[in-house]
Amino acid sequence: MSPPELADPRSLPPGQRLSSVLRPVNYGRVPHIDLTTWSLRIGGDTHDGGEALSLSWAELMSLPRAVVRADHHCVSRYTTQDLEWSGVAARTIIELAPPADDAQHVLVSAARGYSSCIRFEDLASPRAVFATHLNGEPLTPEHGWPLRLVLPHLYGWKGPKWVGAVDYRRSVERGFWEQRGYHVTGDVWREERYAYQE
Ligand SMILES: Nc1nc2c(c(=O)[nH]1)N[C@H]1C(S)=C(S)[C@@H](COP(=O)(O)O)O[C@H]1N2
Ligand SMILES: [Mo]
């Protein structure tokens, strides 16, 4: 018999309930990705206005590593607690390719047309991480291998799995779910679920 969930209910954001497992949730099928041609591209309204930076898998893996222990909150109202993500801190990537001073927004894009928009300050938050591993194991394809963005204080849809590009923007460019009625910011603790709340 498995033990009952004894999590402190105060640690649950408003409107969320517990789910003990992280079920894969995605729009469309899991993509096939080839690491030999894979890259993470950072561009858009960059600080020097120049060419986008492109990191190969080897270059990404040579960067300093970060570990973030966090809960996952899906806007469909389940929360899975205490996941250990490891990878490269978003701040490390930002330092390599900083945005223009007046670029306050970011569009993060993934395989198969998925994207999300986030505020630059959310990407720059100390616990934002481009994760390669979950609970000490490489990501499985379903959970976003080789790379997914994890933003612990935002709803799960803000963190693309199979992430491939980060584009700084001077004005908001809505992503996949933001174009379909979801909130431009998506803060879990403010319960920013839907666009009509904006
Ligand atoms: N590329 C991509 N990333 C995505 C999604 C998606 O459909 N495609 N779904 C998002 C949503 S709504 C959630 S809750 C989480 C789910 O992560 P999991 O599949 O690892 O549980 O991934 C997010 N990232
Ligand atoms: Mo979600």
Side-chain angles (χ1 to χ4, degrees):
M1 216 173 74
S2 55
E5 305 260 21
L6 293 174
D8 181 350
R10 286 171 303 180
S11 66
L12 272 181
Q16 295 294 108
R17 54 184 145 62
L18 280 180
S19 168
S20 53
V21 289
L22 186 68
R23 274 176 300 109
V25 176
N26 36 275
Y27 188 86
R29 279 184 296 170
V30 174
H32 297 284
I33 291 172
D34 178 357
L35 271 196
T36 61
T37 54
W38 181 92
S39 65
L40 176 66
R41 189 184 58 75
I42 301 100
D45 296 320
T46 56
H47 189 256
D48 59 11
E51 289 285 295
L53 174 76
S54 191
L55 293 170
S56 69
W57 182 251
E59 288 166 336
L60 183 82
M61 293 305 278
S62 72
L63 296 174
R65 306 282 299 170
V67 180
V68 173
R69 191 167 274 281
D71 300 345
H72 175 89
H73 313 288
C74 177
V75 73
S76 69
R77 298 184 183 274
Y78 68 85
T79 287
T80 305
Q81 292 179 316
D82 221 18
L83 303 171
E84 188 199 90
W85 302 100
S86 61
V88 177
R91 285 182 168 190
T92 302
I93 304 287
I94 292 167
E95 280 165 24
L96 288 174
D101 292 340
D102 55 349
Q104 309 276 303
H105 310 277
V106 186
L107 185 73
V108 188
S109 307
R112 293 190 186 276
Y114 190 88
S115 59
S116 74
C117 67
I118 53 176
R119 299 181 305 182
F120 174 72
E121 65 188 271
D122 289 320
L123 186 67
S125 74
R127 281 160 51 77
V129 62
F130 287 90
T132 59
H133 288 65
L134 169 58
N135 295 332
E137 302 286 338
L139 292 172
T140 59
E142 295 73 22
H143 287 300
W145 182 89
L147 191 68
R148 76 184 279 170
L149 178 59
V150 175
L151 301 154
H153 62 298
L154 303 183
Y155 287 110
W157 95 79
K158 293 291 187 182
K161 303 188 283 189
W162 317 296
V163 59
V166 174
D167 283 287
Y168 300 124
R169 291 280 183 257
R170 290 197 168 86
S171 51
V172 175
E173 180 176 344
R174 301 181 83 95
F176 184 87
W177 286 117
E178 294 86 11
Q179 290 173 24
R180 289 165 176 78
Y182 286 88
H183 199 279
V184 69
T185 310
D187 188 298
V188 171
W189 299 94
R190 294 174 182 269
E191 207 174 355
E192 294 169 337
R193 297 176 191 271
Y194 307 113
Y196 68 72
Q197 297 171 274
E198 289 168 15

